[in-house]
Amino acid sequence: MSEIFTGSFTQQEPIPEAGIEAALDVLRSGRLHRYNTLGDELGETALLEQEFAAYTGAKYCVAVASGGYAMGCALRALGVQAGAKVLTNAFTLAPVPGAIAAIGAVPVFVGVTENLVIDLDDLKAKADQADVLMLSHMRGHLCDMGALMQICDAHGIKVIEDCAHTMGASWNGTPSGRHGLFGCFSTQTYKHMNSGEGGFLITDDEEMAARAVILSGSYMMYERHAAAPSADVFERVKYHTPNVSGRMDNLRAAILRPQLANMDEQVAAWNARYHVVEEGLAGTPGLTLTNRPEAETYVGSSIQFLLLNWTEAKVRDVLARCAKRGVELKWFGEGQPRGFTSRYDSWRYVDSEPMEKTDLILDGLLDMRLPLTFSLADCALIARIIRAEVSAVFQQA
Ligand SMILES: *Cc1c(COP(=O)(O)O)cnc(C)c1O
């Protein structure tokens, strides 16, 4: 009899008790708005910003309403105008081109490699088209950040990093979000910290930070921030920066602070699960795992593999067989977007050229979340199921 997995791929861990207690305190005080503070007191949101800046090593941090908001805020702080082109990944999630389109700018898609990172040759080829790159570290894969920054610096391209899947990750010891001008993070339920919705913007640039604070909806209460530049910087920008409300509130910040304190343990727990699945899948005929370079410190909260050059019918067969045994795989080759898996040609509000190499990779790309509610034994079972079903379909004539 074949083994079946009965766990859920969408269930997260509970919020830590310390977060629940802190949230109850905020609720009992009624002071949910981040600027509802007394005297010099720092509220939960300001404290969280200070702690996240320290965690990433950034000078400045602004907590906001979502990861998508953080990306839009970075584009606005940079002064990207309607009609301007912005380079971004062909392989990413819908909120990334969405943030670009939301300000009336135009995404220009850059291809993906077999290791699921941005194709640096394609980036070079398109580098003259735009002054900004919205770089998505999609599914937690970091490209050679040294090489990428060299290309971007040579072409005067400002880099905004989408770190929705790389909170806790780094390249050559530098945290993701700290290579470009801005790092954008999400604290939505399916990311590395969970406040339902939420996000961060980090930067070392004082003027960009001041604009981001005003943009986020600080009114003139920016002095109540603890991870923002000094008042004189705000004097330079405050009359020229619109308020586009998207603040974080104290309730979410209260939930997040204990999670941030526990991040290293969470990262280790994800990577232990990732390695069990990776080992279980290694050497499966017809299946290609992504190669993770030495310089990359990643967070294995999801795993991807490729069924390269497989027919659509065979990929569908693998999906169906795995689903029957309780293993939910997401397929980026699907003709129509389902759930979270859309692709560059699903975003039809953008005129994009077909990208042959990228299509070949997306057509064979399968993805699976690894929530911390899975045990290591669960992960080993999941890998056995995938291995058996991929092998069975691969061997068919
Ligand atoms: C989730 C996600 C975002 C945006 O985050 P939200 O908080 O949901 O707006 C951006 N990029 C990627 C790759 C994501 O997965």
Side-chain angles (χ1 to χ4, degrees):
M1 236 202 48
S2 52
E3 300 176 293
I4 287 181
F5 177 64
T6 54
S8 164
F9 282 81
T10 57
Q11 295 312 296
Q12 300 296 72
E13 294 182 295
I15 300 301
E17 281 305 318
I20 295 173
E21 286 298 320
L24 287 174
D25 286 345
V26 171
L27 288 173
R28 290 191 177 110
S29 76
R31 300 195 298 163
L32 276 73
H33 194 281
R34 68 167 297 164
Y35 299 120
N36 192 352
T37 51
L38 298 167
D40 291 340
E41 173 196 28
L42 288 178
E44 293 280 351
T45 311
L47 290 167
L48 174 66
E49 287 169 338
Q50 213 171 28
E51 289 158 3
F52 196 71
Y55 176 72
T56 52
K59 276 194 191 157
Y60 310 114
C61 173
V62 191
V64 294
S66 72
Y69 181 88
M71 295 187 287
C73 187
L75 290 165
R76 286 190 171 94
L78 265 169
V80 176
Q81 298 293 313
K85 289 180 177 175
V86 175
L87 295 159
T88 194
N89 304 58
F91 172 49
T92 184
L93 238 54
V96 179
I100 297 168
I103 60 161
V106 181
V108 175
F109 297 116
V110 182
V112 67
T113 72
E114 270 186 36
N115 278 327
L116 304 185
V117 296
I118 193 165
D119 181 342
L120 295 182
D121 292 329
D122 197 29
L123 176 64
K124 261 185 233 164
K126 292 171 179 164
D128 290 332
Q129 295 189 34
D131 302 325
V132 176
L133 166 65
M134 175 70 76
L135 172 66
S136 184
H137 303 303
M138 178 64 173
R139 276 353 223 149
H141 297 273
L142 292 166
C143 71
D144 181 337
M145 288 303 296
L148 177 125
M149 289 310 301
Q150 231 171 24
I151 296 167
C152 291
D153 289 343
H155 289 86
I157 295 173
K158 300 278 196 295
V159 178
I160 303 167
E161 293 178 66
D162 164 23
C163 307
H165 303 162
T166 54
M167 189 185 284
S170 57
W171 180 265
N172 262 339
T174 301
S176 85
R178 301 279 298 124
H179 300 264
L181 181 58
F182 287 105
C184 303
F185 297 81
S186 169
T187 62
Q188 188 231 82
T189 294
Y190 301 104
K191 313 295 163 95
H192 296 174
M193 293 200 286
N194 175 10
S195 59
E197 305 288 353
F200 297 107
L201 193 64
I202 58 169
T203 183
D204 276 358
D205 184 296
E206 61 178 23
E207 195 160 314
M208 290 298 139
R211 285 192 200 162
V213 168
I214 304 246
L215 279 160
S216 77
S218 67
Y219 303 95
M220 293 299 155
M221 293 180 279
Y222 47 79
E223 286 185 55
R224 297 189 202 177
H225 283 245
S230 53
D232 57 304
V233 184
F234 284 93
E235 286 303 324
R236 303 206 297 263
V237 303
K238 69 182 188 187
Y239 297 114
H240 305 282
T241 307
N243 175 326
V244 185
S245 283
R247 292 171 301 270
M248 183 176 280
D249 58 85
N250 286 336
L251 188 56
R252 281 166 207 197
I255 291 171
L256 289 170
R257 291 181 64 211
Q259 294 181 55
L260 180 59
N262 203 29
M263 187 61 111
D264 291 348
E265 269 173 58
Q266 301 289 93
V267 169
W270 263 308
N271 286 346
R273 284 155 183 75
Y274 183 96
H275 291 135
V276 168
V277 177
E278 189 183 41
E279 262 172 48
L281 294 182
T284 305
L287 179 152
T288 310
L289 286 164
T290 51
N291 167 39
R292 313 236 46 172
E294 190 117 354
E296 183 193 28
T297 303
Y298 56 89
V299 181
S301 54
S302 69
I303 189 163
Q304 294 71 43
F305 58 87
L306 294 163
L307 302 179
L308 279 173
N309 302 312
W310 283 45
T311 62
E312 184 180 327
K314 282 194 169 190
V315 177
R316 283 193 194 283
D317 197 15
V318 167
L319 289 172
R321 283 160 167 262
C322 288
K324 224 169 143 183
R325 296 179 65 181
V327 175
E328 262 178 57
L329 296 169
K330 306 290 180 209
W331 182 33
F332 280 87
E334 187 86 63
Q336 286 180 17
R338 263 178 225 272
F340 292 104
T341 56
S342 58
R343 41 187 286 162
Y344 74 96
D345 48 7
S346 338
W347 307 317
R348 295 183 199 162
Y349 56 86
V350 184
D351 282 326
S352 63
E353 295 291 317
M355 305 173 82
E356 214 174 307
K357 222 176 105 191
T358 290
D359 290 345
L360 275 178
I361 290 158
L362 295 180
D363 286 349
L365 177 57
L366 295 178
D367 175 86
M368 182 172 72
R369 305 184 58 247
L370 293 173
L372 291 176
T373 46
F374 288 1
S375 67
L376 296 181
D378 290 339
C379 293
L381 169 60
I382 289 166
R384 282 199 300 279
I385 292 173
I386 297 173
R387 187 183 191 95
E389 298 304 339
V390 168
S391 303
V393 176
F394 186 70
Q395 277 153 20
Q396 291 166 6

